[in-house]
Amino acid sequence: MTTTPTSSRPAVRRTRGLQASRTRVALLLLVPMLLVLAAVAGYPLLRTIYLSFTEYNILQDPAPKWIGLGNYWFTTDEGVGLGVLQTPEWWQSVWNTVRFTLGSVLLETVLGLAFALIINSKIRGRGLLRTAILVPWAIPTVVSAQMWNWMYNDSFGIISQWGQKLGFLHTGESFLSNPDTAMAALVAVDVWKTTPFMALLLLAGLQTIPSDMYEAADVDGASPWTQFWRLTLPLLMPALLVALIFRTLDALRVFDMPYIVKGNAPETITMSIYARQELILNSQFGFGSAISVMIFLIIMVFTAIYVTSLRVRFD
Amino acid sequence: MNSKNPTVRTLTQIALWVVALIVLFYVLFPFYWAVKTSLTGPAQLSSEALAWFPTHVTWQNFRDVFAGQPFGRNLLNSVVVASGTVILSLLLSALAAYALGKFRFKGKSILMYIILAVSVFPQIAVLSGLYTMIKTFSLYNTWGGLILSYMIFTLPFTVWTLTAFVREIPTELEEAAYVDGASPLQTLFQVLLPVMTPALVTTGLLAFINAWNEYLFALTFTSDNTAKTVPVAIANFSGATIYENPFGQIMAASVIVTIPLIILVLVFQRNIVSGLTAGAVKG
């Protein structure tokens, strides 16, 4: 680039030279970050994709053995389906993850919006409220999982006690131990932990709406209800959309909270928990990698939708 | 809300207050419950588990956590790993953010897309690849292995946020340094970084919280207490002890790791709210 064809005007050449040297500097500044990113993201991802085409029990096999698409789709001579896409456990984990995602994202959006509207209203002590809702966010996920585990405890848990008193549960039963309510119990933990984050994002959105729009609506005699649906909600849409998609992506890859609270229980196993179970607990690096690749593809499809629908632009 | 009728106004205020109190209770109760449980001794836990207030406040659980468990070691591991992760991420991303925020070159927006893509990586997608890599380089069960693996979620975040901050810095500062003959590195470290201090603190704090809370990699890449971090220790508490109910200790350990975070969050709450929303809205 420095040997750009001759130009009769030296000034142009000087700016070109400057431009080229700035590009070189920029590249040098970027190299360390890019190297680390390639080492922790690029290479491991490619390696995972490669392993997903192999049969590899990391404890028994000396090396991965190439089997093509067998981990994804493979039917034995007896007609038994062994590929990921043929196993009921995978589809169970997908279904669980979908239920978890829909339930938590929906509730978090509604509750988060309510929290944001309260904090944004002219109530005294809203500073205190805003500070208080940061507490669940600040508590580590593992800690909140164990806190709720204790509150869900079948004989000593306060929530189980409430459930038993109100007649939802039998004596000695908890929302967690009952397979029908276990997923709802996990959603409740996630909602408690993450609604504040949602509320903060929406609060930021609410505060960008100029107050004179509400004054104008008041003059026109619009009721608060009408104002909310016709004014607040449409103007809040961009912030709401961003928050929604962020929460969806997080919920789709959820691992820690459900794993600590319910382990590998089939009624609540999520895609990530299933992948780790096959990879680490069962040492199936080939099959487990195929599950990981499937999760990666699902997340990437969602991200693509996010980037295109919001027209995210840089620079 | 802007009603002229004073009765309606008072009623609205009261209704808002009731809702606000419900919200406060909902948000704070589980934490209160954890603190209360942590102050109840193992002998009383079964009988007082459901009591609203502790009757005999005791520090027994807090002493037991350090005496009966290698919790001190877990804390040290967490502090070293989280701090190491933050320092390394900030250093690498300060260089990168300078390039991305102030330089024009081809392929920049593609690069930004790649960084965004990495920031939404499901960690599970790299787990098997990282595992074999960490084994190969003998980083399994070490601080270094954890710090390296944590880069996958801290680095995209710090690069992204710092780039947004660098872009806001007036170009005149950099031009003045250039005219004075400063090299790019001098410009970055002596001119830009001092201006960026608030951004570095906010970004570093958020990255620290994320690294402090990380569970999947810490669980998978450690085998014993040489490198096991606090989240893994707290998650594995149950069943690891012979006590009939280890929840008193679990809650004590939980309170120990949470209090510093809550203090940090309360002190820096303004920065955190702006940092969170900036990071989220810009990707």
Side-chain angles (χ1 to χ4, degrees):
Chain A
M1 272 223 244
T2 36
T3 54
T4 331
T6 49
S7 157
S8 54
R9 284 164 302 176
V12 173
R13 189 190 285 165
R14 202 156 51 228
T15 27
R16 280 215 186 126
L18 182 63
Q19 186 58 39
S21 89
R22 283 197 51 97
T23 306
R24 240 188 346 265
V25 171
L27 283 177
L28 283 177
L29 290 169
L30 283 166
V31 160
M33 184 271 292
L34 289 176
L35 278 180
V36 174
L37 221 50
V40 297
Y43 172 77
L45 180 68
L46 292 178
R47 176 104 180 128
T48 302
I49 294 172
Y50 163 72
L51 286 174
S52 78
F53 297 121
T54 67
E55 196 179 324
Y56 187 31
N57 182 314
I58 195 153
L59 293 184
Q60 291 162 9
D61 302 334
K65 186 178 129 226
W66 184 268
I67 56 162
L69 288 170
N71 286 320
Y72 296 91
W73 195 273
F74 181 75
T75 312
T76 60
D77 295 337
E78 292 85 44
V80 184
L82 294 179
V84 176
L85 298 170
Q86 293 154 291
T87 47
E89 286 88 354
W90 160 251
W91 291 111
Q92 176 71 44
S93 73
V94 172
W95 173 230
N96 287 340
T97 312
V98 168
R99 281 193 300 158
F100 178 83
T101 305
L102 282 179
S104 59
V105 174
L106 220 71
L107 278 170
E108 282 157 22
T109 311
V110 174
L111 272 179
L113 186 55
F115 281 22
L117 286 171
I118 293 167
I119 298 174
N120 201 38
S121 69
K122 288 177 188 115
I123 181 177
R124 253 182 298 167
R126 58 187 162 176
L128 173 77
L129 261 182
R130 205 188 60 178
T131 308
I133 67 163
L134 274 169
V135 169
W137 179 82
I139 292 177
T141 311
V142 172
V143 168
S144 51
Q146 287 287 38
M147 275 165 38
W148 282 78
N149 237 346
W150 171 233
M151 295 196 297
Y152 280 144
N153 186 291
D154 29 27
S155 30
F156 301 113
I158 183 88
I159 293 182
S160 304
Q161 183 72 13
W162 292 340
Q164 289 165 17
K165 272 189 181 152
L166 293 172
F168 293 121
L169 299 168
H170 300 294
T171 319
E173 199 188 27
S174 83
F175 289 109
L176 262 188
S177 59
N178 184 337
D180 297 331
T181 53
M183 184 53 88
L186 292 186
V187 167
V189 183
D190 196 65
V191 167
W192 175 77
K193 167 116 183 82
T194 325
T195 298
F197 175 72
M198 197 67 146
L200 288 178
L201 291 188
L202 295 181
L203 185 63
L206 280 178
Q207 286 170 347
T208 58
I209 302 177
S211 61
D212 51 356
M213 299 193 84
Y214 289 101
E215 282 154 25
D218 275 335
V219 172
D220 291 346
S223 71
W225 189 247
T226 322
Q227 289 186 16
F228 174 77
W229 286 103
R230 293 288 184 78
L231 191 64
T232 311
L233 210 54
L235 288 173
L236 198 58
M237 244 345 160
L240 196 65
L241 223 60
V242 170
L244 260 179
I245 291 155
F246 258 80
R247 286 302 310 138
T248 310
L249 288 176
D250 270 354
L252 285 177
R253 51 190 172 168
V254 69
F255 173 81
D256 34 14
M257 188 275 290
Y259 184 72
I260 293 158
V261 179
K262 275 296 272 184
N264 297 311
E267 67 266 26
T268 55
I269 193 166
T270 65
M271 297 191 294
S272 291
I273 298 178
Y274 180 52
R276 186 177 184 278
Q277 171 189 305
E278 294 302 318
L279 278 171
I280 308 295
L281 303 179
N282 297 345
S283 315
Q284 296 296 343
F285 263 55
F287 187 72
S289 296
I291 305 170
S292 304
V293 170
M294 289 307 301
I295 300 172
F296 176 74
L297 289 177
I298 293 172
I299 300 273
M300 282 303 135
V301 167
F302 264 86
T303 310
I305 295 172
Y306 162 43
V307 171
T308 46
S309 71
L310 291 182
R311 298 202 186 77
V312 177
R313 259 177 227 294
F314 315 107
D315 201 56
Chain B
M1 296 200 195
N2 296 321
S3 173
K4 286 174 187 75
N5 186 334
T7 329
V8 173
R9 207 142 90 204
T10 320
L11 281 179
T12 328
Q13 273 291 327
I14 290 173
L16 267 176
W17 262 102
V18 171
V19 178
L21 282 179
I22 295 172
V23 170
L24 263 185
F25 176 81
Y26 173 71
V27 166
L28 296 180
F29 177 74
F31 184 62
Y32 165 73
W33 205 245
V35 173
K36 190 222 83 171
T37 306
S38 73
L39 295 172
T40 310
Q44 281 87 37
L45 190 59
S46 311
S47 56
E48 287 179 17
L50 298 168
W52 280 80
F53 304 100
T55 43
H56 309 86
V57 171
T58 166
W59 297 101
Q60 183 72 38
N61 290 316
F62 289 86
R63 279 194 294 272
D64 286 353
V65 158
F66 287 101
Q69 307 271 347
F71 197 64
R73 176 71 197 191
N74 299 136
L75 272 175
L76 174 73
N77 292 338
S78 271
V79 169
V80 172
V81 170
S83 317
T85 304
V86 168
I87 293 168
L88 200 56
S89 310
L90 283 184
L91 194 69
L92 292 173
S93 56
L95 299 175
Y98 180 34
L100 292 168
K102 286 288 175 216
F103 288 73
R104 266 182 303 155
F105 53 92
K106 247 190 273 176
K108 187 160 94 176
S109 61
I110 294 172
L111 206 57
M112 293 299 275
Y113 272 106
I114 292 173
I115 294 165
L116 178 71
V118 177
S119 75
V120 297
F121 251 37
Q123 289 181 17
I124 198 80
V126 293
L127 196 72
S128 55
L130 257 183
Y131 186 90
T132 53
M133 191 174 116
I134 279 178
K135 283 270 187 185
T136 312
F137 289 104
S138 309
L139 289 170
Y140 186 74
N141 205 26
T142 64
W143 289 340
L146 289 184
I147 292 176
L148 185 73
S149 62
Y150 286 7
M151 289 291 141
I152 194 175
F153 58 89
T154 54
L155 204 50
F157 167 75
T158 50
V159 170
W160 197 266
T161 327
L162 288 184
T163 302
F165 278 111
V166 169
R167 215 175 272 156
E168 301 297 309
I169 299 174
T171 316
E172 287 80 12
L173 267 182
E174 200 204 340
E175 281 168 357
Y178 181 79
V179 171
D180 288 345
S183 75
L185 278 184
Q186 280 172 328
T187 313
L188 174 63
F189 283 102
Q190 290 169 12
V191 180
L192 295 184
L193 276 192
V195 187
M196 283 165 68
T197 310
L200 289 171
V201 171
T202 307
T203 319
L205 190 67
L206 287 172
F208 184 89
I209 291 175
N210 283 334
W212 181 265
N213 295 349
E214 205 285 333
Y215 178 65
L216 176 60
F217 287 160
L219 177 70
T220 308
F221 301 147
T222 61
S223 54
D224 59 38
N225 285 302
T226 341
K228 208 166 258 180
T229 59
V230 159
V232 183
I234 290 179
N236 289 344
F237 242 99
S238 46
T241 51
I242 48 163
Y243 299 98
E244 60 170 48
N245 228 330
F247 272 107
Q249 282 190 42
I250 298 178
M251 291 302 123
S254 300
V255 170
I256 295 171
V257 297
T258 304
I259 297 277
L261 285 190
I262 291 190
I263 292 173
L264 277 179
V265 166
L266 296 189
V267 170
F268 289 99
Q269 61 159 311
R270 271 178 203 287
N271 310 42
I272 285 181
V273 172
S274 64
L276 277 179
T277 46
V281 175
K282 284 167 195 150

